[in-house]
Amino acid sequence: MLIDHIGIATGFTCLQYGLLNVLLPMLGSSLWGIHGVWAGIATAPELTLICTLLFVLLRFGKENFPFLLWDMDSEIVVMDEVLSADSPVHLAERVRSCMLSHQYASTVADNAALVIAELLSCTIKKNENTKKAVLIELSLFFEDDSAQIIERDSGELFEFVASDTQVGDLSGCIPVGQTKAQREIAYLVTTGYNRNRIRYSRYEKQ
């Protein structure tokens, strides 16, 4: 899921939870009774992992085994910290400076910085009653003709780029409106984290 192979992730999740978790306990119970049931449940994850590794090896080749990172030749910049009141401003400025250093137009860099600042501001508001620390991570992938920004945080789950996002004030109108102008935006929950992805074209008019 983290590297956008959703089909593989879905297929092997169904294999484990929809097939092996049913068949293996049944097989185990017929051989060893109640102990075989628990043995079947314990074996399902390991067998799924073996099947997944074999599939990747046979389908994508030894050179791409096991991480499927053959097409990730872009430059990656990662920023992470505990979310605080100062995070929106200085992380947005770091994003802007990074994009400018990669020869992106100032309008594109300003747009990206604005969206990141407002996204983090929304995240702070969503978690203002949360006692635990919220971890934030920004990953910038610079390719030949575009830059992809992936934001992940451990706060309350909410879809930042949804068209029906409930906006209570100006902060929230800005990011939703700005992200609608992008060709590629996506939201996905991964391992209990929010994951927002926005792509900026080097040549696209903002």
Side-chain angles (χ1 to χ4, degrees):
M1 292 176 69
L2 294 174
I3 59 173
D4 293 327
H5 285 281
I6 307 301
I8 295 176
T10 302
F12 284 101
T13 298
C14 292
L15 174 66
Q16 177 180 337
Y17 293 102
L19 188 62
L20 296 182
N21 270 357
V22 175
L23 295 182
L24 291 181
M26 292 174 61
L27 177 62
S29 66
S30 65
L31 296 175
W32 303 293
I34 187 63
H35 298 295
V37 174
W38 296 113
I41 294 174
T43 305
E46 285 76 10
L47 185 56
T48 302
L49 178 60
I50 292 172
C51 292
T52 304
L53 294 176
L54 287 175
F55 175 83
V56 171
L57 180 61
L58 297 174
R59 172 67 176 81
F60 297 101
K62 184 168 58 177
E63 64 276 9
N64 301 313
F65 178 82
F67 300 117
L68 300 180
L69 300 179
W70 74 91
D71 60 347
M72 296 187 66
D73 55 357
S74 59
E75 181 182 348
I76 302 175
V77 178
V78 179
M79 312 170 189
D80 59 89
E81 64 176 64
V82 176
L83 190 64
S84 68
D86 298 328
S87 297
V89 173
H90 82 261
L91 284 178
E93 182 55 37
R94 288 180 63 187
V95 168
R96 181 179 183 277
S97 298
C98 197
M99 294 190 73
L100 289 175
S101 70
H102 285 79
Q103 286 74 53
Y104 280 77
S106 60
T107 53
V108 178
D110 289 343
N111 182 294
L114 174 62
V115 170
I116 293 302
E118 294 298 335
L119 189 158
L120 298 185
S121 296
C122 288
T123 303
I124 290 175
K125 290 183 179 180
K126 285 284 185 179
N127 294 276
E128 57 188 359
N129 296 321
T130 302
K131 295 182 180 179
K132 66 177 181 179
V134 176
L135 305 178
I136 183 78
E137 176 188 273
L138 294 177
S139 299
L140 283 70
F141 297 79
F142 289 98
E143 301 168 354
D144 290 338
D145 60 354
S146 66
Q148 182 176 196
I149 302 178
I150 296 179
E151 180 273 344
R152 295 180 70 227
D153 67 79
S154 61
E156 178 185 340
L157 300 180
F158 75 100
E159 188 167 357
F160 172 74
V161 296
S163 59
D164 59 349
T165 298
Q166 296 298 312
V167 178
D169 52 24
L170 181 60
S171 179
C173 294
I174 295 175
V176 172
Q178 291 293 329
T179 53
K180 282 181 180 178
Q182 300 309 118
R183 288 187 304 174
E184 182 181 335
I185 60 176
Y187 171 80
L188 181 67
V189 176
T190 54
T191 59
Y193 282 62
N194 288 301
R195 181 177 183 265
N196 292 287
R197 182 182 67 186
I198 307 171
R199 184 183 296 274
Y200 289 88
S201 172
R202 183 186 297 275
Y203 309 109
E204 182 178 349
K205 293 182 179 181
Q206 300 295 316

